[in-house]
């Protein structure tokens, strides 16, 4: 999976007065269009309505709002320079890609705009195969301006309504198109001409629930932000008759629903359906979750509580068991989580703010006490604080984020999360794989508890959209982090004897935790081999740590392969190929259990998987990390 940043180029760090590299052969039409974008951006700054709100809220819009209307005037000029410079660099990066031969073929119409550069497309999850030319004035920035214009995009004059299935079905035409996504209904008719995938793609979900279709294409796109001005309301749901919790909890074990309230589908699960209970002392409240599974660990439970809202997600195979309660009394921020793996029991211990007896735990919130397929659940975010940022290579940083004290979250090996930032008034989301703070224990100074800090190795693409904003964050700023996702199963390591890792560039990120786990927790392991592809020596992430780890543990072999080395380089050269792999992928024994993990840019990963199949590795012996 290419999880450490969007594809960019080697964009120069330019000022407005310098001549951007890559524009020497630019077409006049491109430059004219670029000038138009600059004028439109400047106009957007002048016309942007003045924002009001508390200090924290305005902080997230510092370049967009502060300074434009009298607050710190120098920020406005700097903001324009940054935005226009980014556009110039994107166009310059495009030219360099064309000269190298790895740019996509140009298309007519809007395809020449910088919004259609790969870095922009990836940031907004626009898939190239389904992209269609947009009309003039129908770019992403045009859509953002329209949503901020105050125009009624729903046709309901600001009212929010409950929408029945019958009502939703009536709105199935291009000029009257309503779509439901995760229980919320949007009038997408105004967005038709702005949708990069074309009108026909949106019409596939017209008058119906488009959640599954949306998830297939770009599940992690922040549609709530993009379509917030198009919100019609919520789907009308026939409410379940909920008894008073105080009365109900006298009749049953506190968290266990009576059989009559369990749906027929879930009732068929029998004893495997999870449940919960709670009990208390003078100072503590313990919530016990009975998963009825034996492969539960601390990675399986995610807990968030804010104010009186308590949320606990338990990952059970391909489903998520949710406890979502408005607590009846206040509790302190910090809490503890304990797992009894032998019986699949999870205990969450909350500290009361006041030593009083609770009559009941609280009232149910949305989807409380439900078992939901993970593919049908939305992403839940919490705000994490940037604690440190250090250079690893010339363009790669190690970011350390601190979880809120009211959150328990441990990302399983091989899984990723999504980072979310507001950029030009829109929330942009990108996937990244967390890493360990280091490959070696002696590098971990000072020692930080793993359950409160998340590390990311992220390459900064100066021609990109997301990573430059991330790199500009100051220590103490906040980033929204989602719950983890991914299909890698740690059970793949059972009785494993040979482990081969193929990584290109920042595709090294999922290999970090795999290396740490493999060398410490797989007793059957005989050999681990990492082949690490990069362009130059300066691009190799944690080279010294990898070499020290290989010296320390003789089971590990590391080979570096460079595509553009200097003449003094004595190691291997080139790109992934049958010759390199056939020599590298030698089993310890003919019938030894083997696993090959591969991660990097999409072309690297796809070609690597084909070569592995040609070398007679089975599907079960290959795992590719892909976004």
């Amino acid at each position: 999976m290419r999880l450490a940043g969007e594809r960019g180029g080697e964009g120069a760090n330019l000022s407005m007065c310098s001549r951007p590299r890559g524009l020497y052969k630019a077409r006049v039409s491109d430059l004219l269009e670029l000038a138009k974008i600059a004028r439109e951006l400047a106009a957007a700054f002048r016309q942007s309505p003045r924002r009001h709100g508390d200090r924290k809220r305005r902080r997230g819009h510092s370049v967009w709002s502060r300074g434009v209307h009298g607050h710190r005037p120098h920020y406005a000029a700097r903001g324009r320079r940054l935005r226009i410079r980014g556009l110039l660099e994107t166009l310059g990066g495009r030219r360099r890609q064309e000269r190298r031969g790895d740019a996509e073929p140009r298309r007519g119409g809007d395809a020449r705009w910088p919004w259609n550069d790969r870095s922009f497309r990836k940031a907004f999850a626009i898939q190239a195969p389904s992209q269609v030319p947009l009309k003039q004035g129908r770019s992403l920035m045009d859509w953002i301006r329209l949503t901020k214009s105050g125009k009624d995009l729903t046709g309901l004059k600001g009212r929010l309504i409950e929408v029945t299935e019958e009502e939703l079905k009536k709105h199935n035409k291009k000029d009257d198109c309503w779509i439901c996504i995760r229980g919320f209904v949007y009038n997408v008719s105004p967005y038709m001409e702005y949708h990069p995938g074309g009108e026909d793609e949106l019409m596939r979900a017209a008058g119906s629930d488009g959640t599954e279709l949306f998830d297939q294409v770009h599940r992690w796109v922040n549609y709530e932000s993009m379509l917030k001005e198009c919100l019609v309301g919520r789907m009308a749901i026939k409410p379940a008759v909920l008894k008073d919790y105080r009365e109900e909890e006298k009749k049953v074990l506190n968290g266990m629903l009576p059989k009559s309230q369990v749906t027929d589908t879930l009732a068929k699960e029998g004893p495997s359906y999870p449940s919960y209970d709670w009990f208390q002392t003078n100072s503590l409240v313990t919530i016990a979750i009975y998963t009825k599974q034996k492969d539960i660990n601390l990675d399986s439970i995610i807990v968030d509580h804010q104010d009186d809202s308590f949320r606990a997600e338990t990952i059970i195979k391909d489903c998520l068991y949710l406890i979502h309660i408005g607590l009846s009394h206040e509790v302190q921020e910090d809490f503890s989580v304990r797992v009894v793996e032998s019986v699949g029991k999870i205990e969450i211990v909350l500290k009361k703010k006041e030593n009083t007896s609770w009559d009941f735990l609280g009232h149910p919130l949305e989807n409380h006490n439900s078992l939901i397929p993970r593919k049908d659940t939305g992403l839940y975010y919490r705000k994490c604080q940037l604690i440190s940022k250090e250079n690893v290579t010339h363009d790669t940083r190690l970011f350390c984020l601190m979880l809120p004290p009211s959150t328990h979250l441990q990302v399983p090996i091989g899984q990723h999360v999504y980072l979310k930032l507001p950029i030009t008034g829109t929330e942009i989301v990108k996937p990244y794989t967390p890493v360990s703070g280091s490959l070696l224990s002696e590098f971990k100074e000072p020692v930080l508890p793993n359950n409160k800090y998340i590390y990311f190795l992220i390459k900064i693409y100066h021609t990109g959209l997301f990573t430059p904003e991330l790199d500009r964050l100051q220590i103490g700023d906040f980033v929204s982090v989602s719950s983890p996702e991914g299909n890698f199963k740690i059970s793949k390591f059972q009785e494993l004897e040979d482990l081969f890792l193929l990584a290109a560039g920042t595709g090294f990120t999922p290999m970090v935790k795999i290396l740490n786990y493999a060398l410490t927790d797989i007793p059957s392991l005989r050999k681990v081999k990492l082949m690490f592809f990069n362009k130059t020596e300066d691009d190799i992430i944690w080279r010294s740590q990898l070499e020290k780890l290989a010296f320390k543990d003789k089971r590990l072999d590391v080979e570096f392969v460079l595509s553009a080395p200097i003449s003094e380089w004595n190691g291997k050269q080139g790109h992934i190929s049958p010759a390199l792999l056939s020599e590298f992928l030698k089993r310890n024994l003919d019938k030894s259990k083997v696993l090959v993990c591969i991660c990097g840019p999409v072309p690297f990963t796809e070609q690597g998987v084909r070569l592995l199949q040609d070398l007679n590795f089975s599907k079960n012996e290959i795992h590719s990390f892909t976004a």
Side-chain angles (χ1 to χ4, degrees):
M1 179 181 286
R2 181 77 173 183
L3 294 181
E6 64 269 53
R7 169 129 182 164
E10 305 92 299
N13 198 4
L14 305 175
S15 66
M16 284 302 296
C17 61
S18 64
R19 184 179 185 182
R21 292 179 294 171
L23 286 178
Y24 295 116
K25 298 181 181 179
R27 296 180 185 176
V28 173
S29 59
D30 285 330
L31 294 175
L32 290 174
E33 288 175 349
L34 187 62
K36 179 180 178 181
I37 295 169
R39 289 196 300 271
E40 290 176 345
L41 277 174
F45 277 107
R46 288 195 299 270
Q47 296 167 9
S48 177
R50 182 169 183 171
R51 294 179 182 271
H52 296 277
D54 57 29
R55 185 185 187 107
K56 178 180 280 190
R57 182 183 168 209
R58 282 189 281 112
R59 181 181 181 182
H61 297 82
S62 59
V63 174
W64 184 258
S65 59
R66 285 191 293 183
V68 179
H69 303 283
H71 309 286
R72 295 183 177 178
H74 62 282
Y75 267 61
R78 178 176 179 270
R80 293 189 191 101
R81 286 198 301 271
L82 288 173
R83 307 258 178 249
I84 297 171
R85 185 183 74 191
L87 294 171
L88 289 168
E89 291 175 337
T90 298
L91 188 57
R94 173 75 189 195
R95 293 299 177 195
R96 285 188 293 277
Q97 288 179 355
E98 288 178 342
R99 287 200 296 273
R100 291 197 304 265
D102 60 352
E104 291 176 295
R106 282 183 170 269
R107 304 182 186 185
D110 194 61
R112 295 173 298 165
W113 283 58
W115 316 119
N116 292 320
D117 185 83
R118 289 180 180 179
S119 61
F120 279 83
R121 272 208 318 274
K122 290 187 72 175
F124 289 94
I126 301 167
Q127 292 189 342
S130 60
Q131 191 176 16
V132 299
L134 297 175
K135 297 179 182 177
Q136 196 80 358
R138 293 297 184 268
S139 68
L140 171 63
M141 189 59 69
D142 292 314
W143 172 250
I144 292 174
R145 282 203 301 272
L146 178 61
T147 61
K148 295 179 182 296
S149 67
K151 185 177 179 180
D152 180 16
L153 300 181
T154 64
L156 299 176
K157 298 181 180 179
R159 292 181 300 116
L160 293 177
I161 63 174
E162 282 198 347
V163 183
T164 62
E165 288 187 15
E166 293 75 16
E167 180 67 23
L168 179 63
K169 290 177 182 178
K170 296 176 184 177
H171 303 271
N172 59 0
K173 303 178 182 64
K174 285 186 178 182
D175 58 350
D176 182 21
C177 181
W178 290 7
I179 292 177
C180 174
I181 303 178
R182 296 196 177 92
F184 292 92
V185 179
Y186 299 89
N187 180 1
V188 298
S189 302
Y191 184 61
M192 285 284 181
E193 293 185 344
Y194 298 84
H195 185 231
E199 297 178 358
D200 292 341
E201 192 69 17
L202 284 178
M203 288 302 297
R204 291 174 61 190
S208 65
D209 190 332
T211 304
E212 185 174 350
L213 180 61
F214 175 83
D215 286 346
Q216 290 174 1
V217 181
H218 36 218
R219 155 178 170 75
W220 47 273
V221 168
N222 196 337
Y223 64 90
E224 297 101 326
S225 177
M226 294 286 290
L227 299 176
K228 62 184 177 182
E229 299 302 328
C230 300
L231 179 63
V232 172
R234 300 187 64 157
M235 287 295 295
I237 302 174
K238 295 179 181 178
V241 179
L242 292 175
K243 300 179 181 179
D244 189 321
Y245 245 55
R246 306 178 199 195
E247 295 298 320
E248 184 177 300
E249 291 185 352
K250 292 177 183 177
K251 299 177 183 178
V252 298
L253 278 174
N254 290 313
M256 299 176 64
L257 291 175
K259 290 182 180 179
S260 60
Q261 292 187 26
V262 179
T263 63
D264 292 339
T265 302
L266 295 177
K268 294 176 183 178
E269 300 287 337
S272 65
Y273 187 72
S275 60
Y276 77 98
D277 193 3
W278 74 281
F279 51 89
Q280 62 180 313
T281 64
N282 285 338
S283 59
L284 303 175
V285 170
T286 300
I287 300 174
I289 301 173
Y290 305 99
T291 67
K292 302 181 177 69
Q293 306 289 327
K294 292 187 177 181
D295 56 350
I296 299 297
N297 52 46
L298 286 173
D299 294 351
S300 307
I301 178 73
I302 304 166
V303 181
D304 293 276
H305 75 80
Q306 186 175 8
D307 300 325
D308 65 340
S309 174
F310 175 87
R311 179 187 178 94
E313 303 177 3
T314 306
I315 301 168
I316 303 176
K317 296 182 178 178
D318 293 325
C319 293
L320 186 147
Y321 177 58
L322 178 63
I323 295 175
H324 196 191
I325 296 172
L327 297 174
S328 62
H329 294 70
E330 291 185 345
V331 296
Q332 299 179 32
E333 280 189 330
D334 59 316
F335 59 91
S336 61
V337 179
R338 187 171 75 96
V339 174
V340 185
E341 295 186 25
S342 59
V343 295
K345 177 183 176 184
I346 299 170
E347 290 185 345
I348 305 166
V349 182
L350 308 175
K351 299 177 182 178
K352 296 179 179 178
K353 277 196 172 180
E354 297 180 359
N355 294 339
T356 58
S357 178
W358 294 16
D359 294 332
F360 67 111
L361 182 59
H363 58 276
L365 299 178
E366 186 177 14
N367 292 325
H368 169 61
N369 200 19
S370 58
L371 186 66
I372 311 168
R374 291 185 71 184
K375 65 181 180 63
D376 295 337
T377 59
L379 292 172
Y380 184 83
Y381 289 86
R382 70 279 302 153
K383 287 188 177 296
C384 298
Q385 191 173 29
L386 179 62
I387 297 301
S388 67
K389 178 175 61 174
E390 62 183 70
N391 293 332
V392 177
T393 70
H394 62 99
D395 60 2
T396 303
R397 317 273 188 266
L398 178 65
F399 292 83
C400 177
L401 300 179
M402 181 174 67
L403 290 164
S406 55
T407 292
H408 167 86
L409 170 63
Q410 295 185 16
V411 182
I413 293 171
Q415 296 199 11
H416 59 273
V417 299
Y418 297 95
L419 303 186
K420 180 168 67 175
L421 284 176
I423 301 175
T424 64
T426 301
E427 291 179 325
I428 307 300
V429 181
K430 292 289 293 181
Y432 294 97
T433 299
V435 300
S436 308
S438 169
L439 286 170
L440 299 169
S441 57
E442 59 262 33
F443 280 82
K444 296 179 181 177
E445 296 290 344
V447 176
L448 299 176
N450 291 331
N451 60 339
K452 285 298 177 185
Y453 295 86
I454 309 180
Y455 295 90
F456 297 93
L457 280 169
I458 298 177
K459 183 175 181 178
I460 307 301
Y461 293 88
H462 297 293
T463 59
L465 180 65
F466 188 87
T467 57
E469 289 289 331
L470 189 66
D471 196 35
R472 281 191 283 268
L473 293 179
Q474 302 298 311
I475 303 302
D477 286 346
F478 287 86
V479 182
S480 295
V481 179
S482 78
S483 299
E485 280 195 343
N487 57 8
F488 185 82
K489 305 293 184 184
I490 202 169
S491 58
K492 290 178 176 286
F493 291 138
Q494 290 179 0
E495 300 179 0
L496 188 67
E497 295 172 273
D498 294 327
L499 175 61
F500 299 103
L501 308 175
L502 302 173
T506 45
F508 172 66
T509 53
M511 310 306 178
V512 174
K513 284 191 174 182
I514 289 177
L515 273 175
N516 281 328
Y517 182 85
L519 295 174
T520 56
D521 294 294
I522 307 179
S524 59
L525 192 68
R526 291 178 178 153
K527 199 70 179 174
V528 183
K529 298 182 73 175
L530 168 66
M531 181 169 279
F532 195 1
F533 294 81
N534 285 278
K535 187 175 181 181
T536 68
E537 287 185 80
D538 291 338
D539 296 320
I540 301 175
I541 298 171
W542 281 350
R543 178 180 180 178
S544 62
Q545 290 194 42
L546 284 168
E547 291 172 340
K548 288 184 179 181
L549 187 60
F551 179 80
K552 180 180 177 182
D553 195 319
K554 301 305 180 184
R555 293 175 297 170
L556 174 63
D557 284 342
V558 179
E559 295 185 15
F560 301 112
V561 183
L562 302 182
S563 61
I566 59 175
S567 57
E568 290 80 8
W569 173 253
N570 296 320
K572 293 186 176 180
Q573 302 182 28
H575 300 274
I576 191 168
S577 65
L580 281 174
L581 293 188
S582 59
E583 180 185 351
F584 176 74
L585 299 169
K586 292 182 178 178
R587 300 172 186 252
N588 217 359
L589 298 172
D590 289 340
K591 294 185 178 180
S592 60
K593 184 176 180 181
V594 64
L595 176 65
V596 185
C597 296
I598 181 169
C599 183
V602 174
F604 170 87
T605 303
E606 291 178 347
Q607 183 180 2
V609 170
R610 288 194 296 268
L611 294 176
L612 291 171
Q613 292 170 345
D614 292 341
L615 293 171
N616 297 319
F617 285 92
S618 68
K619 184 178 179 180
N620 292 333
E621 293 175 329
I622 303 170
H623 183 87
S624 61
F625 294 93
T626 55

